[in-house]
Amino acid sequence: MARAEPGWQIVRGGRLADPAQRRAAPADILIEDGVIRAVGAGLAAPEGARELDATGFLLHPGLVNAHTHGHGGLGRGQGDRWTLELLLASAPWVGGSRSLADKRLSALLCAAEMVQKGCTAAYDLYTEVPLPTREGLDAVADAYDTLGMRAVVAPMVADLTLYEAIPGLLEALPEGLRREAEKLRLRPAAETLAAMEEAAKHWRWNAADIRFAIAPTIPHHCSTEFLCGCRDLARAHGVGLHSHVGESKVQAVVGMQRYGTTLTRHMDRLGLVGPGFTVAHGIWLDDEDLRLLADRGASIAHNPVSNMKLGNGMLRLARALELGVNVGLGTDGVTSGDNGNMYEAMRAAAGLSHVQTPDPRGWVSAEQIYRAATLGSARALGFEDIGAIAPGMKADIVFLDLAVPHWIPHNGTMNQLVHAEDATAVRHVMIGGRFVFKDGRHTTLDLARLAIEAEAARERLEAANAAQKALFEALAPVVSSFCAGLAARPYHLGRYLCEAPNSGV
Ligand SMILES: [Zn+2]
């Protein structure tokens, strides 16, 4: 768990990342039972406090991943030129036949990568096939607990398959394949809701800062009855809601077809949009959608690397910030984001804002990106005491070695953190004052042993899911061409470079 290191500690002489300073200055951090009590130069420490010398290090708060999928851990490297819809179609193959141990292992692999790349908390939308289970979600929470990370674990659910959610897709399949696609039907809404209720009722991880939330995966993959059930469950248990809204143009076009309005407004009419609501991606949102999110106190989890990989288009990040939406940063799952590297997410988010206009006044600054990856994401997770090195905050601190080439010389902290850091300078990671990664090694798990387990699981799952893989390969060409047709339809927003100029409202 995010077990706090008991007693007093003082971290001396590290340079503290601070958006207000061009070049981070050395300061001390006084920590009591895993919570920061004071920050400043030349702090006095109570007698018996452990002294840690951080000279030569840049210290920044643990990065917070606002959107990822722990179930992706065993599914890396399967798709190259996959759209989001192909990724969704691959799910029965890539995520099928998992044992309870596989579910835990998958989450553990992702969490291990995040920690060693400077991330200390994550919002994990976790799918179990065919439906969420109390034991499965418990195993995922246990993985975070083992590693010592903070997390929000949200069962990612739907009651309609891709083939039911996209009008006309089933009919576009040849007879034999259609029958196969029909068999993929998901469990009834009531059964999935009951399973989540069971998990929510018995959730035992809050004290470890591993919280529960609910993730109706994509609005139109959920019946209205199901979405309302998710809303009611979230309200009853006081937990967050997280959904992929306007991730692909296909989604935006289908939403308009189905509901006569945007997906954001559809969710809002059903009462899901509020301070505990996070939109994943949010690329195909118009100004009215963004204002609505800002007014309701909702968040966007921006996943720039995944958005590029899946060809979903570009979030207008500067516009979302300008309209007052809280934006966090995420890597997405490793089946689309390919790694859990929040430094890459920061760099991509910055670069992606730079290619949208030749006028640098419209670009998002390194300071804004840094804020999104720390406090912005923390707010999306619903945590008020992480995301900054300041009194009252949890001592979740990353120690970057300033002796690596991309920090020599150290001229501008925020610039180098966002545009140059790639996680290779991460030397130690502390969560709650406790080192979970020290001198370049995990202290809470044996990565080599994990690799052996993962390789065995990969081999077993490959055999077990062979038929699902063959089915995916048969379905993929139809899904791909049908969705490309949908994405070619007009929509009132442009989010691709190849589209008409000035169409990006
Ligand atoms: Zn996602």
Side-chain angles (χ1 to χ4, degrees), residues 128-217:
E128 291 177 75
V129 181
L131 83 173
T133 61
R134 183 179 155 189
E135 308 76 49
L137 293 161
D138 203 60
V140 175
D142 184 66
Y144 284 104
D145 185 54
T146 299
L147 216 72
M149 250 183 105
R150 304 183 205 281
V152 177
V153 177
M156 187 169 86
V157 290
D159 64 339
L160 300 170
T161 65
L162 177 71
Y163 306 93
E164 295 166 313
I166 298 181
L169 178 55
L170 208 52
E171 293 73 20
L173 295 170
E175 177 78 26
L177 275 180
R178 192 184 316 150
R179 273 199 302 273
E180 291 302 314
E182 277 167 349
K183 283 189 213 154
L184 298 170
R185 189 152 292 152
L186 299 175
R187 294 294 173 86
E191 203 180 327
T192 301
L193 288 168
M196 289 196 288
E197 168 90 67
E198 172 79 2
K201 242 177 17 201
H202 296 95
W203 194 251
R204 61 192 177 95
W205 302 97
N206 288 335
D209 263 354
I210 300 170
R211 300 180 189 169
F212 189 77
I214 290 167
T217 182

Side-chain angles (χ1 to χ4, degrees), residues 67-69 84 125 156 242 244 247 280-281 303 306 332-333 336:
H67 184 82
T68 190
H69 302 287
L84 171 66
L125 285 72
M156 187 169 86
H242 197 136
H244 300 81
E247 177 177 359
H281 305 277
N303 306 287
S306 167
D332 210 346
S336 61

Side-chain angles (χ1 to χ4, degrees), residues 186 267 276 313 320 359 436 472:
L186 299 175
M267 299 287 265
D359 183 349
V436 295
F472 167 77

